[in-house]
Each structure stands twice: as C-alpha cells, then as structure tokens.
Amino acid sequence: NNGNIGNDMWRYVPNLCCPYIPIKVSASFTANPLQGCAPLTVNFSNTSTNGTSYFWNFGDGSNATAMNPAHTYTDTGTFTVTLTAVNDTSQCGRYSNTNSLNITIGKQVNVSSSFTANTDYGCAPLVVAFSNTSSNATAYYWSLGNGQVDTAMNPQHIIYPDSGTFQVTLVAFNENPVCPNPPDIRTLDITVGECELYFPNVITPNADMVNDLFEYIAKGYSNCNLTIFNRWGEEVYTSPLTDSFWDGKINFTSTEVVDGTYY
C-alpha cells in the first residue's frame, strides 16, 4: 500500500508480494454421534474445501491425519474436537483454516428399583404408605394396583377400599440425556381381606353356660391388642387379639374381677 489506494480498495488488489490468487481453505466436518455412553466410537465426516492435508485433535490427547477418521472415547466428559485443514500447494505459501465441535461422553449407571410398604396385608379399607429405596434413580413411576398412578418418590395414604390382591409396580429411571440408562422394575402384592370385628357387651362367668366368656371376633386383623380397664382406669386384662376370649379373670390369674362395668 503506497498510500494512494484507499483501504476499501486495497482488499481487491492482488498481494504485491505474491502475484498469484490466494487459496481460500475452509475447514468443516460433522460427527456421528455427538454424545453417548463410554466407550463410544464417533465417526467424523470431513466436509472441508480446498484442503490437501488434515490434522485432527480429538480433545482427549489423541490425534489423526486421515480425511475421515473414527475415534473411540473411553473416558467421560466433554471433548473439543478440532480439525485443521491445510493447503500448501499455492505459490504464495501455506494456507490453513480450523474448525471445532464438542463431543459429550457419559457413563452408564445401574438403576435398581426397590421399595417397601408399611403393611402389605390388612382389612378393607386399607391405607398404605410406600417407602422408596431405589438407587441411582432420578424419576419414578408408580402403578398402585387400585387404578392410581403416581410419580412421587414416596406415595403416602394410598387407599385400597375393597378386598382382593393388588399388585404395586415401581419403575425407577435415571433420566440422563447424554447416556440413557435402562430403567428397573419391582412389584409388590398388597392383600386386602374381608375382615370382621365383633365384641359382646356382657359377660357373666357363673358357669351357667350363658355368657360365661367374653368371646370376640377379630378376623383378618393383626398387630392389635385387647385391653380391659375397670371404672378407675386400672388395667385388669390385656392380650393380643389372637386370643379370642376373656374369662373374667385378672390377667390370666385365678382371681375373678368383681361385678361391675368395664371398659
């Protein structure tokens, strides 16, 4: 530039040091896939123009000079792949251009679905709470067996109003868009019985074969106790409901309670 040609015009004037037309090199490429689980093999397609040689840097310490290489990533992370396209055939010297894109590699995890219920058997209507003990999961889908579905971690106050056997299913997911993980499924049966509970309101243990025992019915119930108190709130008898009668004696002794009203 001798100062007589304006800057806007200078770009149209051939290089005074090299009278030949420069070669415009453009580096470009695609990769398939762009993300996935380790180990992942990525195929690169070179779409550069005017390049005569190529240098690839795969971002993990590996390099290549092939036109369309493939590379396997064994580590996890995001790797910047760089392609430099070179043309050194020009009389004006060496021309090059560089382009890059990212490859993301994730690690697959083992999703384990598991859960417990505070009870899996009882009388209708049965109310159940579930405790999720899954591992490596980020999302959940419950089919509760009674027509309900839920995505909470720990569904509570689930009502089974009728008798029968209800299969509860939990599907545990790990929602990773980079490296999809297979879900895991677990099931548990909830059994609801037709229960019966009956208590008489009188006992006369006088050996006349009428109301000599306080006989009650607690069909289908568990983890329950019967406790009887006198009018002053003193306990005179306690027993699990698996014992189906009381004979009017104080806590399995030979001492009979006195006549009166008990609670």
Side-chain angles (χ1 to χ4, degrees), residues 165-178:
T165 299
F166 304 88
Q167 186 177 79
V168 179
T169 302
L170 169 61
V171 184
F173 301 88
N174 187 305
E175 297 177 317
N176 188 331
V178 173

Side-chain angles (χ1 to χ4, degrees), residues 48-249:
S48 303
T49 56
N50 293 329
T52 58
S53 60
Y54 307 96
F55 181 80
W56 298 82
N57 184 330
F58 296 116
D60 63 350
S62 300
N63 304 299
T65 57
M67 183 172 182
N68 297 294
H71 181 65
T72 300
Y73 290 89
T74 58
D75 296 325
T76 61
T78 298
F79 303 92
T80 300
V81 181
T82 302
L83 169 63
T84 300
V86 179
N87 188 313
D88 55 5
T89 63
S90 172
Q91 297 294 330
C92 294
R94 182 178 185 272
Y95 293 90
S96 66
N97 186 242
T98 300
N99 207 341
S100 63
L101 57 74
N102 290 333
I103 303 294
T104 303
I105 310 296
K107 181 179 180 181
Q108 196 167 83
V109 298
N110 182 27
V111 179
S112 177
S113 175
S114 64
F115 66 98
T116 60
N118 65 331
T119 181
D120 59 6
Y121 177 81
C123 303
L126 182 66
V127 181
V128 181
F130 296 97
S131 178
N132 192 333
T133 55
S134 302
S135 60
N136 294 329
T138 60
Y140 310 97
Y141 177 84
W142 296 83
S143 176
L144 296 164
N146 61 353
Q148 288 181 260
V149 296
D150 206 327
T151 56
M153 183 174 183
N154 299 295
Q156 304 291 305
H157 308 296
I158 306 303
I159 300 175
Y160 296 88
D162 302 313
S163 61
T165 299
F166 304 88
Q167 186 177 79
V168 179
T169 302
L170 169 61
V171 184
F173 301 88
N174 187 305
E175 297 177 317
N176 188 331
V178 173
C179 180
N181 301 290
D184 193 39
I185 301 174
R186 288 292 182 273
T187 61
L188 175 70
D189 286 341
I190 302 295
T191 302
V192 183
E194 293 182 349
C195 303
E196 181 181 359
L197 190 64
Y198 167 76
F199 291 93
N201 61 2
V202 64
I203 174 176
T204 57
N206 54 9
D208 65 353
M209 306 300 292
V210 178
N211 297 325
D212 283 334
L213 298 175
F214 185 79
E215 295 184 279
Y216 49 87
I217 299 172
K219 178 183 177 183
Y221 289 87
S222 61
N223 299 322
C224 299
N225 292 313
L226 170 68
T227 304
I228 298 176
F229 302 90
N230 63 19
R231 60 188 297 183
W232 296 280
E234 298 171 333
E235 179 185 303
V236 297
Y237 178 82
T238 185
S239 174
L241 284 182
T242 51
D243 296 333
S244 61
F245 67 89
W246 177 48
D247 59 4
K249 294 181 173 63

